[in-house]
Amino acid sequence: ERKTHKTYVAIVAGHPKNSEAVIDLPIARNYKHPTTFLVDPNGKASETYYRVLEQTEKKSLLELKPVTGRTHQLRVHLNYIGCPILGDRIYNQTSKASRLFLHAKSLEISIPNTEDETNNIRRTFEAPIPKEFYKELESNVL
């Protein structure tokens, strides 16, 4: 029902064409490499909203909001538009980053109300962007 709202941040190689946009591309399993996924016209509908938060010479810090929740959706979509996530050893094998620079910033969900079953409680959980993201953003190494 798409009642869960997730917000991520990621550091990507390069700069997206637009400062904000929706990536609306279907995703399917990659049968040549069954543990991975790819953009495929016969895949399942997949939609990701992104917005550039910050840019340096070689990198961008993006806010990402997936509308759908496909496996590896953010990683596949960003790689497809030419801005792979740093440290992604599956979809960005050239990255020398020490970790995957994808962070779950907030999650908004409905929690059952034990006192009144007809009204769920809406909660948002947040985690600040790790300091190492800003250090990585400033380094010139991809």
Side-chain angles (χ1 to χ4, degrees):
E1 295 177 3
R2 298 192 177 140
K3 290 183 179 179
T4 299
H5 300 285
K6 300 174 183 178
T7 302
Y8 296 85
V9 291
I11 298 177
V12 300
H15 307 110
K17 181 179 171 183
N18 300 306
S19 61
E20 62 182 277
V22 174
I23 304 168
D24 187 1
L25 297 166
I27 294 176
R29 185 172 298 279
N30 181 351
Y31 288 103
K32 292 180 182 177
H33 303 281
T35 59
T36 66
F37 295 80
L38 47 76
V39 169
D40 184 313
N42 298 315
K44 293 181 181 178
S46 304
E47 194 173 318
T48 302
Y49 164 81
Y50 76 82
R51 179 171 62 101
V52 176
L53 298 176
E54 218 173 302
Q55 288 183 330
T56 62
E57 184 181 332
K58 296 181 180 180
K59 303 172 190 175
S60 300
L61 177 67
L62 305 182
E63 177 182 76
L64 307 165
K65 293 184 179 186
V67 177
T68 52
R70 306 285 175 229
T71 303
H72 296 187
Q73 175 177 323
L74 302 175
R75 297 161 71 182
V76 170
H77 275 170
L78 291 169
N79 187 55
Y80 187 83
I81 67 165
C83 295
I85 298 174
L86 294 186
D88 188 339
R89 305 227 187 293
I90 295 173
Y91 299 100
N92 181 14
Q93 294 161 351
T94 61
S95 175
K96 296 182 182 4
S98 60
R99 59 162 282 187
L100 178 66
F101 279 88
L102 177 63
H103 172 72
K105 182 180 167 197
S106 70
L107 171 66
E108 182 183 340
I109 58 173
S110 292
I111 299 173
N113 184 342
T114 56
E115 296 173 15
D116 177 5
E117 293 179 13
T118 61
N119 288 321
N120 289 334
I121 301 167
R122 198 78 181 150
R123 291 278 164 86
T124 301
F125 301 92
E126 297 193 13
I129 300 171
K131 290 179 181 148
E132 67 185 297
F133 270 55
Y134 296 104
K135 290 179 186 173
E136 179 63 34
L137 192 60
E138 294 304 321
S139 93
N140 282 325
V141 179
L142 285 176

